[in-house]
PDB file of all heavy atoms in Angstrom:
ATOM      1  N   LEU A1221     294.710 172.595  89.423  1.00  0.00           N
ATOM      2  CA  LEU A1221     294.905 173.953  90.009  1.00  0.00           C
ATOM      3  C   LEU A1221     293.953 174.952  89.372  1.00  0.00           C
ATOM      4  O   LEU A1221     293.528 174.755  88.281  1.00  0.00           O
ATOM      5  CB  LEU A1221     296.401 174.399  89.777  1.00  0.00           C
ATOM      6  CG  LEU A1221     297.420 173.734  90.616  1.00  0.00           C
ATOM      7  CD1 LEU A1221     298.810 174.082  90.217  1.00  0.00           C
ATOM      8  CD2 LEU A1221     297.258 174.079  92.118  1.00  0.00           C
ATOM      9  N   PRO A1222     293.667 176.046  90.113  1.00  0.00           N
ATOM     10  CA  PRO A1222     292.753 177.100  89.582  1.00  0.00           C
ATOM     11  C   PRO A1222     293.286 177.621  88.261  1.00  0.00           C
ATOM     12  O   PRO A1222     294.386 177.690  87.966  1.00  0.00           O
ATOM     13  CB  PRO A1222     292.735 178.202  90.659  1.00  0.00           C
ATOM     14  CG  PRO A1222     293.123 177.401  91.912  1.00  0.00           C
ATOM     15  CD  PRO A1222     294.087 176.360  91.565  1.00  0.00           C
ATOM     16  N   ASP A1223     292.264 178.135  87.413  1.00  0.00           N
ATOM     17  CA  ASP A1223     292.678 178.662  86.096  1.00  0.00           C
ATOM     18  C   ASP A1223     293.553 179.855  86.118  1.00  0.00           C
ATOM     19  O   ASP A1223     294.307 180.112  85.185  1.00  0.00           O
ATOM     20  CB  ASP A1223     291.347 179.004  85.328  1.00  0.00           C
ATOM     21  CG  ASP A1223     290.523 177.851  84.998  1.00  0.00           C
ATOM     22  OD1 ASP A1223     291.028 176.725  84.973  1.00  0.00           O
ATOM     23  OD2 ASP A1223     289.259 177.963  84.756  1.00  0.00           O
ATOM     24  N   ASP A1224     293.527 180.582  87.330  1.00  0.00           N
ATOM     25  CA  ASP A1224     294.488 181.801  87.296  1.00  0.00           C
ATOM     26  C   ASP A1224     295.926 181.417  87.678  1.00  0.00           C
ATOM     27  O   ASP A1224     296.735 182.314  87.678  1.00  0.00           O
ATOM     28  CB  ASP A1224     293.854 182.854  88.284  1.00  0.00           C
ATOM     29  CG  ASP A1224     293.791 182.266  89.704  1.00  0.00           C
ATOM     30  OD1 ASP A1224     294.025 181.061  89.967  1.00  0.00           O
ATOM     31  OD2 ASP A1224     293.413 183.101  90.640  1.00  0.00           O
ATOM     32  N   VAL A1225     296.237 180.137  87.912  1.00  0.00           N
ATOM     33  CA  VAL A1225     297.560 179.669  88.033  1.00  0.00           C
ATOM     34  C   VAL A1225     298.093 179.449  86.555  1.00  0.00           C
ATOM     35  O   VAL A1225     297.696 178.438  85.905  1.00  0.00           O
ATOM     36  CB  VAL A1225     297.765 178.451  88.873  1.00  0.00           C
ATOM     37  CG1 VAL A1225     299.179 178.062  89.004  1.00  0.00           C
ATOM     38  CG2 VAL A1225     297.107 178.659  90.245  1.00  0.00           C
ATOM     39  N   ARG A1226     298.947 180.280  86.058  1.00  0.00           N
ATOM     40  CA  ARG A1226     299.297 180.235  84.638  1.00  0.00           C
ATOM     41  C   ARG A1226     300.328 179.114  84.460  1.00  0.00           C
ATOM     42  O   ARG A1226     300.958 178.540  85.320  1.00  0.00           O
ATOM     43  CB  ARG A1226     299.960 181.533  84.221  1.00  0.00           C
ATOM     44  CG  ARG A1226     298.943 182.698  84.328  1.00  0.00           C
ATOM     45  CD  ARG A1226     299.623 184.050  84.152  1.00  0.00           C
ATOM     46  NE  ARG A1226     300.681 184.258  85.135  1.00  0.00           N
ATOM     47  CZ  ARG A1226     301.428 185.328  85.249  1.00  0.00           C
ATOM     48  NH1 ARG A1226     301.323 186.293  84.380  1.00  0.00           N
ATOM     49  NH2 ARG A1226     302.417 185.419  86.160  1.00  0.00           N
ATOM     50  N   ALA A1227     300.511 178.813  83.107  1.00  0.00           N
ATOM     51  CA  ALA A1227     301.353 177.616  82.746  1.00  0.00           C
ATOM     52  C   ALA A1227     302.874 177.860  83.216  1.00  0.00           C
ATOM     53  O   ALA A1227     303.489 176.934  83.545  1.00  0.00           O
ATOM     54  CB  ALA A1227     301.328 177.523  81.218  1.00  0.00           C
ATOM     55  N   ASP A1228     303.331 179.160  83.172  1.00  0.00           N
ATOM     56  CA  ASP A1228     304.705 179.460  83.607  1.00  0.00           C
ATOM     57  C   ASP A1228     304.852 179.855  84.992  1.00  0.00           C
ATOM     58  O   ASP A1228     305.950 180.241  85.369  1.00  0.00           O
ATOM     59  CB  ASP A1228     305.258 180.479  82.589  1.00  0.00           C
ATOM     60  CG  ASP A1228     304.560 181.809  82.673  1.00  0.00           C
ATOM     61  OD1 ASP A1228     303.469 181.902  83.201  1.00  0.00           O
ATOM     62  OD2 ASP A1228     305.170 182.789  82.160  1.00  0.00           O
ATOM     63  N   ASP A1229     303.758 179.822  85.752  1.00  0.00           N
ATOM     64  CA  ASP A1229     303.855 180.142  87.198  1.00  0.00           C
ATOM     65  C   ASP A1229     304.623 179.049  87.880  1.00  0.00           C
ATOM     66  O   ASP A1229     304.430 177.838  87.577  1.00  0.00           O
ATOM     67  CB  ASP A1229     302.489 180.264  87.806  1.00  0.00           C
ATOM     68  CG  ASP A1229     301.855 181.702  87.507  1.00  0.00           C
ATOM     69  OD1 ASP A1229     302.621 182.579  86.984  1.00  0.00           O
ATOM     70  OD2 ASP A1229     300.617 181.826  87.705  1.00  0.00           O
ATOM     71  N   PHE A1230     305.328 179.361  88.961  1.00  0.00           N
ATOM     72  CA  PHE A1230     305.987 178.366  89.802  1.00  0.00           C
ATOM     73  C   PHE A1230     304.960 177.796  90.770  1.00  0.00           C
ATOM     74  O   PHE A1230     304.042 178.503  91.224  1.00  0.00           O
ATOM     75  CB  PHE A1230     307.105 178.959  90.662  1.00  0.00           C
ATOM     76  CG  PHE A1230     308.416 179.089  89.848  1.00  0.00           C
ATOM     77  CD1 PHE A1230     308.820 180.330  89.334  1.00  0.00           C
ATOM     78  CD2 PHE A1230     309.171 177.954  89.653  1.00  0.00           C
ATOM     79  CE1 PHE A1230     310.054 180.432  88.629  1.00  0.00           C
ATOM     80  CE2 PHE A1230     310.402 177.988  88.897  1.00  0.00           C
ATOM     81  CZ  PHE A1230     310.847 179.285  88.365  1.00  0.00           C
ATOM     82  N   VAL A1231     305.064 176.454  91.036  1.00  0.00           N
ATOM     83  CA  VAL A1231     304.192 175.729  91.911  1.00  0.00           C
ATOM     84  C   VAL A1231     305.068 174.858  92.814  1.00  0.00           C
ATOM     85  O   VAL A1231     306.109 174.396  92.411  1.00  0.00           O
ATOM     86  CB  VAL A1231     303.290 174.820  91.144  1.00  0.00           C
ATOM     87  CG1 VAL A1231     302.438 173.960  92.057  1.00  0.00           C
ATOM     88  CG2 VAL A1231     302.307 175.635  90.247  1.00  0.00           C
ATOM     89  N   LEU A1232     304.763 174.889  94.163  1.00  0.00           N
ATOM     90  CA  LEU A1232     305.476 174.033  95.114  1.00  0.00           C
ATOM     91  C   LEU A1232     304.804 172.625  95.111  1.00  0.00           C
ATOM     92  O   LEU A1232     303.563 172.540  95.001  1.00  0.00           O
ATOM     93  CB  LEU A1232     305.329 174.624  96.489  1.00  0.00           C
ATOM     94  CG  LEU A1232     306.076 175.910  96.788  1.00  0.00           C
ATOM     95  CD1 LEU A1232     305.506 176.579  98.037  1.00  0.00           C
ATOM     96  CD2 LEU A1232     307.501 175.664  96.974  1.00  0.00           C
ATOM     97  N   VAL A1233     305.622 171.643  95.298  1.00  0.00           N
ATOM     98  CA  VAL A1233     305.101 170.298  95.614  1.00  0.00           C
ATOM     99  C   VAL A1233     305.733 169.826  96.941  1.00  0.00           C
ATOM    100  O   VAL A1233     306.960 169.866  97.047  1.00  0.00           O
ATOM    101  CB  VAL A1233     305.455 169.274  94.544  1.00  0.00           C
ATOM    102  CG1 VAL A1233     304.885 167.835  94.826  1.00  0.00           C
ATOM    103  CG2 VAL A1233     304.915 169.739  93.101  1.00  0.00           C
ATOM    104  N   HIS A1234     304.851 169.429  97.881  1.00  0.00           N
ATOM    105  CA  HIS A1234     305.400 169.184  99.148  1.00  0.00           C
ATOM    106  C   HIS A1234     304.738 167.810  99.720  1.00  0.00           C
ATOM    107  O   HIS A1234     303.488 167.604  99.551  1.00  0.00           O
ATOM    108  CB  HIS A1234     305.092 170.241 100.183  1.00  0.00           C
ATOM    109  CG  HIS A1234     305.669 170.074 101.573  1.00  0.00           C
ATOM    110  ND1 HIS A1234     307.003 169.803 101.730  1.00  0.00           N
ATOM    111  CD2 HIS A1234     305.179 170.165 102.780  1.00  0.00           C
ATOM    112  CE1 HIS A1234     307.280 169.727 103.027  1.00  0.00           C
ATOM    113  NE2 HIS A1234     306.128 169.961 103.676  1.00  0.00           N
ATOM    114  N   ASP A1235     305.543 166.952 100.296  1.00  0.00           N
ATOM    115  CA  ASP A1235     304.994 165.723 100.851  1.00  0.00           C
ATOM    116  C   ASP A1235     304.041 165.930 101.983  1.00  0.00           C
ATOM    117  O   ASP A1235     304.282 166.839 102.886  1.00  0.00           O
ATOM    118  CB  ASP A1235     306.161 164.845 101.440  1.00  0.00           C
ATOM    119  CG  ASP A1235     307.099 164.332 100.383  1.00  0.00           C
ATOM    120  OD1 ASP A1235     306.734 164.067  99.303  1.00  0.00           O
ATOM    121  OD2 ASP A1235     308.285 164.214 100.717  1.00  0.00           O
ATOM    122  N   ALA A1236     302.947 165.220 101.965  1.00  0.00           N
ATOM    123  CA  ALA A1236     301.886 165.411 103.054  1.00  0.00           C
ATOM    124  C   ALA A1236     302.458 164.955 104.392  1.00  0.00           C
ATOM    125  O   ALA A1236     302.010 165.464 105.425  1.00  0.00           O
ATOM    126  CB  ALA A1236     300.686 164.478 102.722  1.00  0.00           C
ATOM    127  N   ALA A1237     303.527 164.070 104.438  1.00  0.00           N
ATOM    128  CA  ALA A1237     304.117 163.586 105.643  1.00  0.00           C
ATOM    129  C   ALA A1237     305.389 164.288 106.042  1.00  0.00           C
ATOM    130  O   ALA A1237     306.218 163.668 106.710  1.00  0.00           O
ATOM    131  CB  ALA A1237     304.239 162.110 105.515  1.00  0.00           C
ATOM    132  N   ARG A1238     305.543 165.472 105.579  1.00  0.00           N
ATOM    133  CA  ARG A1238     306.731 166.342 106.097  1.00  0.00           C
ATOM    134  C   ARG A1238     306.088 167.500 106.794  1.00  0.00           C
ATOM    135  O   ARG A1238     306.037 168.659 106.248  1.00  0.00           O
ATOM    136  CB  ARG A1238     307.554 166.800 104.889  1.00  0.00           C
ATOM    137  CG  ARG A1238     308.406 165.678 104.281  1.00  0.00           C
ATOM    138  CD  ARG A1238     309.505 166.249 103.312  1.00  0.00           C
ATOM    139  NE  ARG A1238     310.137 165.231 102.566  1.00  0.00           N
ATOM    140  CZ  ARG A1238     311.247 164.588 102.844  1.00  0.00           C
ATOM    141  NH1 ARG A1238     311.872 164.944 104.054  1.00  0.00           N
ATOM    142  NH2 ARG A1238     311.722 163.661 102.098  1.00  0.00           N
ATOM    143  N   PRO A1239     305.750 167.283 108.067  1.00  0.00           N
ATOM    144  CA  PRO A1239     305.054 168.402 108.784  1.00  0.00           C
ATOM    145  C   PRO A1239     305.961 169.409 109.449  1.00  0.00           C
ATOM    146  O   PRO A1239     305.477 170.318 110.035  1.00  0.00           O
ATOM    147  CB  PRO A1239     304.310 167.541 109.905  1.00  0.00           C
ATOM    148  CG  PRO A1239     305.300 166.399 110.147  1.00  0.00           C
ATOM    149  CD  PRO A1239     305.887 166.105 108.851  1.00  0.00           C
ATOM    150  N   ASN A1240     307.253 169.117 109.399  1.00  0.00           N
ATOM    151  CA  ASN A1240     308.212 170.038 110.201  1.00  0.00           C
ATOM    152  C   ASN A1240     308.970 171.010 109.288  1.00  0.00           C
ATOM    153  O   ASN A1240     310.184 171.256 109.584  1.00  0.00           O
ATOM    154  CB  ASN A1240     309.142 169.178 110.997  1.00  0.00           C
ATOM    155  CG  ASN A1240     309.639 169.923 112.219  1.00  0.00           C
ATOM    156  OD1 ASN A1240     309.023 170.754 112.825  1.00  0.00           O
ATOM    157  ND2 ASN A1240     310.881 169.718 112.599  1.00  0.00           N
ATOM    158  N   LEU A1241     308.410 171.541 108.260  1.00  0.00           N
ATOM    159  CA  LEU A1241     308.996 172.457 107.324  1.00  0.00           C
ATOM    160  C   LEU A1241     309.189 173.801 108.052  1.00  0.00           C
ATOM    161  O   LEU A1241     308.269 174.418 108.511  1.00  0.00           O
ATOM    162  CB  LEU A1241     308.185 172.599 106.066  1.00  0.00           C
ATOM    163  CG  LEU A1241     308.618 173.661 105.031  1.00  0.00           C
ATOM    164  CD1 LEU A1241     309.919 173.394 104.509  1.00  0.00           C
ATOM    165  CD2 LEU A1241     307.518 173.820 104.005  1.00  0.00           C
ATOM    166  N   ALA A1242     310.377 174.327 107.986  1.00  0.00           N
ATOM    167  CA  ALA A1242     310.766 175.568 108.678  1.00  0.00           C
ATOM    168  C   ALA A1242     310.403 176.780 107.651  1.00  0.00           C
ATOM    169  O   ALA A1242     310.674 176.668 106.472  1.00  0.00           O
ATOM    170  CB  ALA A1242     312.260 175.680 108.991  1.00  0.00           C
ATOM    171  N   ALA A1243     309.807 177.737 108.106  1.00  0.00           N
ATOM    172  CA  ALA A1243     309.473 178.938 107.336  1.00  0.00           C
ATOM    173  C   ALA A1243     310.703 179.551 106.653  1.00  0.00           C
ATOM    174  O   ALA A1243     310.601 179.970 105.513  1.00  0.00           O
ATOM    175  CB  ALA A1243     308.755 179.971 108.197  1.00  0.00           C
ATOM    176  N   ALA A1244     311.887 179.558 107.311  1.00  0.00           N
ATOM    177  CA  ALA A1244     313.076 180.140 106.742  1.00  0.00           C
ATOM    178  C   ALA A1244     313.518 179.334 105.570  1.00  0.00           C
ATOM    179  O   ALA A1244     313.946 179.883 104.519  1.00  0.00           O
ATOM    180  CB  ALA A1244     314.184 180.219 107.808  1.00  0.00           C
ATOM    181  N   ASP A1245     313.431 178.012 105.694  1.00  0.00           N
ATOM    182  CA  ASP A1245     313.833 177.129 104.533  1.00  0.00           C
ATOM    183  C   ASP A1245     312.868 177.248 103.359  1.00  0.00           C
ATOM    184  O   ASP A1245     313.308 177.392 102.192  1.00  0.00           O
ATOM    185  CB  ASP A1245     313.678 175.580 104.921  1.00  0.00           C
ATOM    186  CG  ASP A1245     314.893 175.208 105.835  1.00  0.00           C
ATOM    187  OD1 ASP A1245     315.805 176.042 106.154  1.00  0.00           O
ATOM    188  OD2 ASP A1245     314.959 174.044 106.261  1.00  0.00           O
ATOM    189  N   LEU A1246     311.594 177.387 103.613  1.00  0.00           N
ATOM    190  CA  LEU A1246     310.614 177.673 102.505  1.00  0.00           C
ATOM    191  C   LEU A1246     310.916 179.041 101.875  1.00  0.00           C
ATOM    192  O   LEU A1246     310.860 179.178 100.618  1.00  0.00           O
ATOM    193  CB  LEU A1246     309.180 177.586 103.070  1.00  0.00           C
ATOM    194  CG  LEU A1246     308.079 177.852 102.054  1.00  0.00           C
ATOM    195  CD1 LEU A1246     308.156 177.010 100.840  1.00  0.00           C
ATOM    196  CD2 LEU A1246     306.672 177.738 102.717  1.00  0.00           C
ATOM    197  N   GLY A1247     311.195 180.042 102.631  1.00  0.00           N
ATOM    198  CA  GLY A1247     311.430 181.281 102.125  1.00  0.00           C
ATOM    199  C   GLY A1247     312.745 181.327 101.239  1.00  0.00           C
ATOM    200  O   GLY A1247     312.736 181.968 100.186  1.00  0.00           O
ATOM    201  N   ARG A1248     313.759 180.658 101.686  1.00  0.00           N
ATOM    202  CA  ARG A1248     314.966 180.581 100.922  1.00  0.00           C
ATOM    203  C   ARG A1248     314.780 179.821  99.615  1.00  0.00           C
ATOM    204  O   ARG A1248     315.289 180.187  98.534  1.00  0.00           O
ATOM    205  CB  ARG A1248     316.063 179.824 101.771  1.00  0.00           C
ATOM    206  CG  ARG A1248     317.445 179.975 101.203  1.00  0.00           C
ATOM    207  CD  ARG A1248     318.495 179.644 102.202  1.00  0.00           C
ATOM    208  NE  ARG A1248     318.228 178.426 102.995  1.00  0.00           N
ATOM    209  CZ  ARG A1248     317.864 178.452 104.244  1.00  0.00           C
ATOM    210  NH1 ARG A1248     317.705 179.574 104.907  1.00  0.00           N
ATOM    211  NH2 ARG A1248     317.738 177.298 104.920  1.00  0.00           N
ATOM    212  N   LEU A1249     313.961 178.702  99.647  1.00  0.00           N
ATOM    213  CA  LEU A1249     313.685 177.972  98.434  1.00  0.00           C
ATOM    214  C   LEU A1249     312.949 178.839  97.472  1.00  0.00           C
ATOM    215  O   LEU A1249     313.300 178.863  96.257  1.00  0.00           O
ATOM    216  CB  LEU A1249     312.829 176.752  98.785  1.00  0.00           C
ATOM    217  CG  LEU A1249     312.349 175.967  97.517  1.00  0.00           C
ATOM    218  CD1 LEU A1249     313.486 175.252  96.852  1.00  0.00           C
ATOM    219  CD2 LEU A1249     311.195 174.978  97.959  1.00  0.00           C
ATOM    220  N   LEU A1250     312.016 179.595  97.871  1.00  0.00           N
ATOM    221  CA  LEU A1250     311.217 180.502  97.013  1.00  0.00           C
ATOM    222  C   LEU A1250     312.120 181.606  96.320  1.00  0.00           C
ATOM    223  O   LEU A1250     312.015 181.904  95.235  1.00  0.00           O
ATOM    224  CB  LEU A1250     310.013 181.137  97.780  1.00  0.00           C
ATOM    225  CG  LEU A1250     308.941 180.163  98.161  1.00  0.00           C
ATOM    226  CD1 LEU A1250     308.015 180.773  99.207  1.00  0.00           C
ATOM    227  CD2 LEU A1250     308.134 179.759  96.948  1.00  0.00           C
ATOM    228  N   GLU A1251     312.927 182.190  97.255  1.00  0.00           N
ATOM    229  CA  GLU A1251     313.851 183.282  96.742  1.00  0.00           C
ATOM    230  C   GLU A1251     314.804 182.704  95.711  1.00  0.00           C
ATOM    231  O   GLU A1251     315.013 183.308  94.710  1.00  0.00           O
ATOM    232  CB  GLU A1251     314.584 183.855  97.930  1.00  0.00           C
ATOM    233  CG  GLU A1251     315.505 184.976  97.538  1.00  0.00           C
ATOM    234  CD  GLU A1251     316.194 185.615  98.737  1.00  0.00           C
ATOM    235  OE1 GLU A1251     316.007 185.153  99.828  1.00  0.00           O
ATOM    236  OE2 GLU A1251     317.024 186.525  98.487  1.00  0.00           O
ATOM    237  N   VAL A1252     315.498 181.630  95.977  1.00  0.00           N
ATOM    238  CA  VAL A1252     316.477 181.061  95.030  1.00  0.00           C
ATOM    239  C   VAL A1252     315.795 180.425  93.867  1.00  0.00           C
ATOM    240  O   VAL A1252     316.198 180.674  92.679  1.00  0.00           O
ATOM    241  CB  VAL A1252     317.341 180.028  95.813  1.00  0.00           C
ATOM    242  CG1 VAL A1252     318.327 179.359  94.790  1.00  0.00           C
ATOM    243  CG2 VAL A1252     318.168 180.657  96.888  1.00  0.00           C
TER     244      VAL A1252
END
């Protein structure tokens, strides 16, 4: 990852073969 992504920054990991991710689900995951 780029150097400006800090050690304590959150990072998402997502399967390449999950193409049907809903924006609302992603938003809820990020918020919680």
Side-chain angles (χ1 to χ4, degrees):
L1221 287 170
D1223 291 339
D1224 59 357
V1225 182
R1226 298 170 300 182
D1228 64 345
D1229 282 348
F1230 278 104
V1231 174
L1232 292 161
V1233 180
H1234 187 50
D1235 292 330
R1238 286 190 193 271
N1240 203 37
L1241 171 66
D1245 284 358
L1246 178 53
R1248 190 161 51 251
L1249 174 69
L1250 290 166
E1251 181 179 359
V1252 173

